[in-house]
Amino acid sequence: MQIASYLSEDLGASVDFETFHENFRSKIDRVFNMRGDLDAASLQRGLPPFMMREIQSCTPLSVFIPSAYGGRGGHVHECQAILAAASYESLALSLTLGINGALFLQPLAKYGNEAVKAPVFKRFIEDKNMGGLMITEPDYGTDALSMQTSYTETDDGYHIQGTKHWAGLTGWADFWLVTARRQHDSGSLGRDIDFFVADTNRPEQLIEVEELYENLGLYMIPYGRNNVDIRVPTAHRLEPESTGIKMMLDVLHRSRIEFPGMGMGFLKRLLDEGIAHCRERYVGKKPLTAYDQVRARLARMQAAFTACSAMCLHTSETAGLAHNMASETVVANSTKAVITDLMQDASQSLLQLMGAKGYKLDNIAGRSVVDSRPFQIFEGSNDVLYQQIAEGVLKKMRRAKESNLQRFLADFAPTERAADYFKDTLSFSADLSLPQRKLVELGKILGRVVSMEFIIELGDRGFRSDLISNALHSFQRDVAGRIASLHHRPTAEVAEDYEEGASWLSFVQPSEA
């Protein structure tokens, strides 16, 4: 492969998607698999410049850009397919594209000022620019509504000040969406949240990187702490349909429901690697695939692949920009939390199947464990999302004056057919005042029932029946175990001052030698 092959002519928005998709898939296959120094590169921070140039030569981010601005139209199924193609080769690359698309380009397309959108989109297409989103602050992660980054109005725009960290593409992005709260004359901050476009190529909008973090995984993506002290024009403020908080929920819920695109290629790669390894590896004169426990792990990985396929279908038909996602808490949170749990579970299974071989830092099994783990944390910790799912459903049950969980789910659109699989096990009166840990457990159950609804729909469309049956069986078993945990009493409590009387050595009764 010639290093300068990125100079070849780009495939524009007029090319049919099948050709565009195959060109991108072939390109990243060559980039990640035909360079002798790839293993060394995978252990270094960042990405060799030639690799990014090769990848960007396909203009993959054009799938997130409306056709009126030279993009491919922002069709969600195309976005999902490009993310999946990328994640088969590199989860970090897929996340890089996802950050650009779901956390910058889509919000700008929906809420950006017309005077800003055209030049920004042009730079993404022609100059291969990148963009990200800054929400999280050192003292305010999950509690984003309490962020302290503030803005004041100036004669020609806004002055924004604060500190942001853990924004993917720190130091790389050409554009940022920066969230802030209005500072009143009294010094207090308003309750609502606003978004502002910052162009780092302009001195007054440059965001200073104070520290780059040594992140545990996802080596390709830089993260760090940023000092925000910028001035942006009036047109750089996003324009919400109602409130800024609802705009933020729309952005985050759409991003969460698009996670399956990143999970799709990743799970397929793990499944392919797992099956290939277990066919080739012999223990006791027979391949690993002959062992029942091995087949059980592979079956769970295959169920995750099927579930993710179903989620991609659902996302492709429901997450368009015309649909406001602000109120879609149950479905969006279920999608993100369940798919990221499946990604981590599949990576742990592959590592177990690979054995010592998989524990090398440059092996896909070990890398997958550390690279997929933060997906359960960022854009909403899964524990919090599961709690929100449970609270959302219980709130709807109160409004419907229905206390039986199974009856409610059977009449609730996201679960109406999947609820039939649990006519007995979910037919109980839901406690509306569950402790937090039980809310999380209930949320895990509900998230998997929602996922089963997606799987049933995929089966109705003609997806392989054996894969559908396997996935539904796997999720049924998972839910059954979690229902037992939900009903289990009593619950364990932590003893914070635990050291007194807790030294095993003091209880040893030595025997004579």
Side-chain angles (χ1 to χ4, degrees):
M1 182 182 70
Q2 296 180 351
I3 295 179
S5 62
Y6 65 87
L7 296 175
S8 60
E9 183 178 355
D10 294 356
L11 292 180
S14 61
V15 177
D16 66 275
F17 183 65
E18 183 177 353
T19 302
F20 182 88
H21 182 246
E22 178 57 28
N23 179 69
F24 177 67
R25 192 203 62 76
S26 298
K27 178 75 72 173
I28 59 176
D29 176 60
R30 292 197 300 271
V31 167
F32 282 95
N33 298 306
M34 296 181 66
R35 292 289 293 173
D37 59 353
L38 177 59
D39 286 342
S42 69
L43 304 181
Q44 299 172 357
R45 301 285 172 178
L47 189 68
F50 88 89
M51 294 179 72
M52 185 55 77
R53 288 197 299 267
E54 287 274 340
I55 294 164
Q56 283 278 50
S57 72
C58 299
T59 322
L61 295 175
S62 64
V63 297
F64 293 96
I65 297 175
S67 55
Y69 302 95
R72 292 193 57 84
H75 304 294
V76 180
H77 71 280
E78 292 192 7
C79 301
Q80 291 280 281
I82 290 299
L83 293 177
S87 66
Y88 189 87
E89 301 297 343
S90 167
L91 186 58
L93 172 62
S94 188
L95 178 57
T96 296
L97 300 179
I99 290 169
N100 276 274
L103 299 181
F104 183 82
L105 292 171
Q106 287 179 332
L108 181 64
K110 183 167 184 176
Y111 297 107
N113 186 289
E114 287 299 324
V116 175
K117 288 195 286 190
V120 171
F121 289 145
K122 181 179 181 181
R123 283 170 55 181
F124 268 78
I125 293 172
E126 296 183 1
D127 302 330
K128 317 306 182 189
N129 279 185
M130 294 195 294
L133 172 64
M134 289 185 172
I135 293 180
T136 306
E137 299 181 6
D139 295 325
Y140 301 94
T142 302
D143 186 19
L145 296 182
S146 296
M147 68 178 66
Q148 295 300 294
T149 299
S150 63
Y151 73 90
T152 55
E153 292 193 46
T154 63
D155 291 339
D156 57 353
Y158 304 95
H159 182 199
I160 307 162
Q161 295 176 291
T163 301
K164 299 289 188 181
H165 77 157
W166 284 115
L169 308 181
T170 292
W172 273 16
D174 303 278
F175 293 97
W176 289 103
L177 281 182
V178 182
T179 55
R181 298 162 63 193
R182 180 187 292 273
Q183 182 175 349
H184 300 299
D185 293 339
S186 64
S188 63
L189 300 182
R191 180 177 179 273
D192 209 11
I193 305 292
D194 281 292
F195 289 65
F196 301 88
V197 178
D199 180 353
T200 63
N201 290 304
R202 299 185 65 85
E204 72 278 8
Q205 298 178 42
L206 177 63
I207 296 174
E208 177 191 1
V209 178
E210 296 182 326
E211 178 187 0
L212 285 174
Y213 295 154
E214 293 288 323
N215 34 293
L216 176 64
L218 299 170
Y219 281 6
M220 182 189 299
I221 305 175
Y223 291 92
R225 186 180 69 251
N226 303 271
N227 175 44
V228 180
D229 188 356
I230 59 175
R231 296 176 183 272
V232 302
T234 302
H236 280 226
R237 179 181 174 184
L238 297 193
E239 303 167 349
E241 295 173 344
S242 55
T243 67
I245 291 176
K246 288 186 177 180
M247 176 171 62
M248 183 166 70
L249 287 173
D250 178 43
V251 170
L252 293 179
H253 286 169
R254 179 171 291 100
S255 177
R256 289 170 186 167
I257 206 172
E258 290 181 302
F259 268 55
M262 294 183 286
M264 190 69 259
F266 177 76
L267 288 168
K268 186 178 188 305
R269 176 66 178 274
L270 298 189
L271 182 59
D272 289 348
E273 295 281 350
I275 291 175
H277 173 77
C278 293
R279 282 174 171 170
E280 298 167 2
R281 176 68 167 172
Y282 275 67
V283 175
K285 297 184 180 181
K286 57 183 179 181
L288 287 178
T289 50
Y291 289 90
D292 188 55
Q293 175 60 17
V294 170
R295 298 189 68 80
R297 284 192 180 275
L298 291 174
R300 286 201 299 273
M301 294 171 70
Q302 201 160 65
F305 163 82
T306 303
C308 190
S309 300
M311 291 176 182
C312 285
L313 173 65
H314 180 266
T315 294
S316 296
E317 297 182 350
T318 61
L321 295 184
H323 182 199
N324 191 298
M325 304 289 294
S327 62
E328 299 294 334
T329 301
V330 172
V331 171
N333 287 5
S334 294
T335 302
K336 187 270 183 184
V338 172
I339 193 55
T340 54
D341 279 356
L342 294 176
M343 290 165 66
Q344 175 64 192
D345 182 67
S347 64
Q348 292 283 0
S349 283
L350 180 62
L351 181 57
Q352 193 71 27
L353 294 171
M354 287 277 195
K357 176 183 176 181
Y359 206 62
K360 293 181 179 179
L361 187 59
D362 62 351
N363 185 276
I364 187 171
R367 287 204 314 273
S368 294
V369 170
V370 292
D371 283 351
S372 64
R373 184 63 179 90
F375 280 69
Q376 296 173 295
I377 301 171
F378 59 60
E379 285 200 47
S381 167
N382 281 10
D383 281 355
V384 174
L385 299 188
Y386 283 129
Q387 178 183 341
Q388 292 176 348
I389 292 166
E391 290 174 337
V393 168
L394 292 176
K395 183 178 181 180
K396 292 178 184 297
M397 290 179 68
R398 282 194 293 268
R399 288 178 176 173
K401 297 181 179 179
E402 175 60 78
S403 60
N404 185 280
L405 182 60
Q406 199 281 333
R407 283 203 301 266
F408 173 81
L409 295 179
D411 197 39
F412 183 43
T415 58
E416 56 186 356
R417 288 187 293 175
D420 288 343
Y421 286 79
F422 306 99
K423 288 183 177 179
D424 296 325
T425 53
L426 287 179
S427 186
F428 58 85
S429 181
D431 186 349
L432 303 183
S433 58
L434 288 170
Q436 186 180 38
R437 69 182 69 185
K438 294 298 184 180
L439 285 172
V440 172
E441 198 62 49
L442 177 59
K444 290 180 179 180
I445 292 168
L446 294 169
R448 281 149 181 81
V449 177
V450 170
S451 300
M452 288 179 66
E453 190 76 20
F454 300 153
I455 296 169
I456 293 169
E457 176 60 28
L458 182 66
D460 289 347
R461 303 287 183 96
F463 200 80
R464 276 187 61 156
S465 60
D466 55 342
L467 297 184
I468 294 294
S469 177
N470 171 52
L472 291 174
H473 175 75
S474 179
F475 273 71
Q476 273 184 283
R477 184 179 59 186
D478 188 4
V479 170
R482 296 181 186 281
I483 290 173
S485 176
L486 178 68
H487 293 314
H488 181 73
R489 297 288 192 276
T491 56
E493 287 296 337
V494 64
E496 295 186 32
D497 299 322
Y498 70 92
E499 292 183 324
E500 183 178 354
S503 171
W504 66 268
L505 193 57
S506 65
F507 298 100
V508 173
Q509 297 178 352
S511 59
E512 293 184 8

